[in-house]
Amino acid sequence: LHEPGMKLRIEKAIYGGAGLARAEGKAVFVPFALPGELVEAAIAENNKSYATAELQAVLEASEARQAAACPYFGACGGCHYQHAEYAAQVEMKRAILREALERARVTEIPEIEAVTGEPFGYRNRVRLHVERNPFRLCYKKRNSHVNLPVEGCPVAAPVLEGAMAALNREDDGLGAWVREIELFTDHAQAAVLVGFWTEQEKGEAARSLESCWARLQNWLPGIVGAGVFSAERGATTGKLLAQAGEGSLMYRAGGRDYRVSLGSFFQVNRFLIDRLVELVADGQTGGVAWDLYAGVGLFSLALTERFGEVVAVESGGAAVRDLRENLRGKRHRVVSAETAPFLRRAGQEGAPDLVVVDPPRAGLGREVTTLLGKVRARNVTYVSCDPATLSRDLAALLESGYRLATMHLVDLFPQTLH
């Protein structure tokens, strides 16, 4: 496997963004190669059961191959599929999902219906690293912790690209104390919330924000508020140390208004949020619905219009405060708890008509799927962002007596493997 220019035929796309080929009986993963292509590649890493390779040349190109829209594509770790026409990206994802389900021995898979939106300009939130000297906004280079300075990002909403350009032009001394910057905009791109991550202590962080807040409002388009979080190893959010201006913005989705605060999670694809809520809530009615991993209540609020009572379960502090605000005046109960302890206690309450689960990438796990099996809800809607953990969890739920009714692939992250 050590020839520098090996010829490989790509069999299929695999989860992780690469194409799969075989050489000497071993699986070889080739990033940026498409199904059916004949490529020349050099082995980058040779393991016992598989190898990874770097693409050197495309000898026979797929009809779906196209030029990438972004100058950073290939160097940046964010996107994986810009070299493929959008319809082909969706088909690759559908095949990857089906294969993950089959590998987990999930049987009787319904037709996987694709739901798509605009493939660029879709992100309402971006998070960037800060290069200090000179100040530059960065993503990370592919397979690396090394910063890649960027001027823009075509998958980001236009107002966020404008904010990136403004920050790159006038850093206003941010490089001295800011490690990462997050930009989040509302449905109309009328307001922008900014999050800063720092290693400074609380008092110092408050002074740093105060010293630049007035100027930030002058030159950063749409900014309505900013918060400073502690940069803690392994934590995505950290503690909120200081705040200026508004601490939240109102996001309109599916004809409903949601308060989303600094530090709260909200779905990223501004073109498909409405459709996602419809898929979860439409056609569902009954007495009781549980919304587990409820976040700020994206699904809970829609479900209050269709059920006698909605029990919304969430453990994140900022999200729980938003959840209470967003469900105010509706028939609901907010439970500030992790999902497993809630299910252990709630098992005695009787089966709900609907359970909605929208867990993080790690999925539900054994305890939660076991408890849901005992609950025996009439319907479960599972919103997943990872085909491997979804497949594992579905296999467990099917074993406990549920059956698969419908499946949609909602492409919330075009151009990426997600």
Side-chain angles (χ1 to χ4, degrees), residues 268-403:
V268 154
N269 189 311
R270 62 200 190 94
F271 300 126
L272 287 177
I273 293 174
D274 293 13
R275 189 77 182 90
L276 183 63
V277 175
E278 271 173 32
L279 284 170
V280 169
D282 277 14
Q284 301 280 9
T285 55
V288 179
W290 294 351
D291 183 11
L292 312 180
Y293 314 90
V296 303
L298 180 63
F299 304 130
S300 306
L301 185 55
L303 294 171
T304 60
E305 298 159 15
R306 296 164 168 81
F307 287 84
E309 185 189 39
V310 172
V311 181
V313 181
E314 173 55 45
S315 61
V320 169
R321 290 189 289 277
D322 286 340
L323 181 60
R324 291 189 197 283
E325 180 60 33
N326 292 331
L327 297 184
R328 189 189 295 275
K330 307 291 184 185
R331 287 169 305 198
H332 75 282
R333 180 156 59 93
V334 170
V335 179
S336 177
E338 299 277 350
T339 294
F342 165 77
L343 286 173
R344 284 198 294 268
R345 291 193 306 270
Q348 293 82 46
E349 290 187 19
D353 299 296
L354 172 68
V355 176
V356 174
V357 292
D358 182 9
R361 205 165 292 287
L364 300 175
R366 185 178 293 276
E367 185 181 9
V368 171
T369 52
T370 301
L371 290 165
L372 284 175
K374 289 176 181 163
V375 163
R376 303 183 71 78
R378 198 177 62 187
N379 289 296
V380 176
T381 298
Y382 190 148
V383 182
S384 166
C385 58
D386 186 286
T389 57
L390 171 71
S391 301
R392 175 203 68 199
D393 292 343
L394 287 185
L397 290 169
L398 294 173
E399 221 171 87
S400 68
Y402 292 102
R403 63 179 181 81

Side-chain angles (χ1 to χ4, degrees), residues 4-81:
M6 293 175 60
K7 287 188 174 62
L8 297 167
R9 179 69 71 180
I10 305 301
E11 292 176 20
K12 61 185 176 183
I14 57 159
Y15 191 55
L20 170 75
R22 290 185 196 280
E24 298 171 22
K26 185 181 279 194
V28 183
F29 304 138
V30 189
F32 311 117
L34 296 175
E37 290 188 328
L38 181 67
V39 303
E40 204 168 87
I43 298 298
E45 197 180 316
N46 199 358
N47 297 297
K48 196 178 264 185
S49 56
Y50 70 93
T52 57
E54 284 297 312
L55 181 67
Q56 293 177 313
V58 179
L59 305 176
E60 289 174 21
S62 162
E63 285 179 8
R65 182 170 282 277
Q66 65 176 13
C70 176
Y72 308 109
F73 180 68
C76 175
C79 287
H80 316 86
Y81 288 148

Side-chain angles (χ1 to χ4, degrees), residues 113-127:
E113 195 177 319
V115 178
T116 60
E118 291 292 323
F120 285 102
Y122 62 83
R123 286 194 69 102
N124 59 29
R125 190 189 298 265
V126 292
R127 185 155 164 180

Side-chain angles (χ1 to χ4, degrees), residues 130-352:
V130 170
E131 184 99 325
R132 273 185 150 171
N133 209 356
F135 176 92
R136 290 180 301 180
L137 295 179
C138 305
Y139 287 131
K140 291 295 182 188
K141 288 186 178 176
R142 182 168 66 94
N143 299 334
S144 159
H145 296 296
V146 178
N147 284 338
L148 174 74
V150 293
E151 295 295 322
C153 176
V155 297
V159 71
L160 300 186
E161 277 216 296
M164 287 170 69
L167 282 162
N168 269 325
R169 258 194 327 269
E170 308 195 43
D171 70 88
D172 201 27
L174 294 175
W177 62 281
V178 174
R179 293 292 148 271
E180 291 179 64
I181 296 177
E182 185 178 81
L183 305 165
F184 174 51
T185 188
D186 64 347
H187 59 286
Q189 299 189 79
V192 173
L193 270 187
V194 181
F196 297 117
W197 274 259
T198 186
E199 283 151 7
Q200 291 184 335
E201 295 302 318
K202 190 169 185 172
E204 201 180 354
R207 287 189 292 277
S208 295
L209 181 59
E210 194 181 343
S211 71
C212 69
W213 173 238
R215 291 192 301 279
L216 276 175
Q217 290 172 90
N218 287 335
W219 57 262
L220 198 58
I223 187 170
V224 293
V228 184
F229 295 93
S230 56
E232 296 167 22
R233 194 178 293 279
T236 46
T237 306
K239 292 186 196 72
L240 183 62
L241 304 174
Q243 193 189 305
E246 300 291 324
S248 63
L249 51 74
M250 294 305 289
Y251 203 110
R252 192 158 183 78
R256 302 171 193 91
D257 289 320
Y258 297 86
R259 187 183 82 181
V260 185
S261 295
L262 288 158
S264 288
F265 170 79
F266 199 71
Q267 290 291 349
V268 154
N269 189 311
R270 62 200 190 94
F271 300 126
L272 287 177
I273 293 174
D274 293 13
R275 189 77 182 90
L276 183 63
V277 175
E278 271 173 32
L279 284 170
V280 169
D282 277 14
Q284 301 280 9
T285 55
V288 179
W290 294 351
D291 183 11
L292 312 180
Y293 314 90
V296 303
L298 180 63
F299 304 130
S300 306
L301 185 55
L303 294 171
T304 60
E305 298 159 15
R306 296 164 168 81
F307 287 84
E309 185 189 39
V310 172
V311 181
V313 181
E314 173 55 45
S315 61
V320 169
R321 290 189 289 277
D322 286 340
L323 181 60
R324 291 189 197 283
E325 180 60 33
N326 292 331
L327 297 184
R328 189 189 295 275
K330 307 291 184 185
R331 287 169 305 198
H332 75 282
R333 180 156 59 93
V334 170
V335 179
S336 177
E338 299 277 350
T339 294
F342 165 77
L343 286 173
R344 284 198 294 268
R345 291 193 306 270
Q348 293 82 46
E349 290 187 19

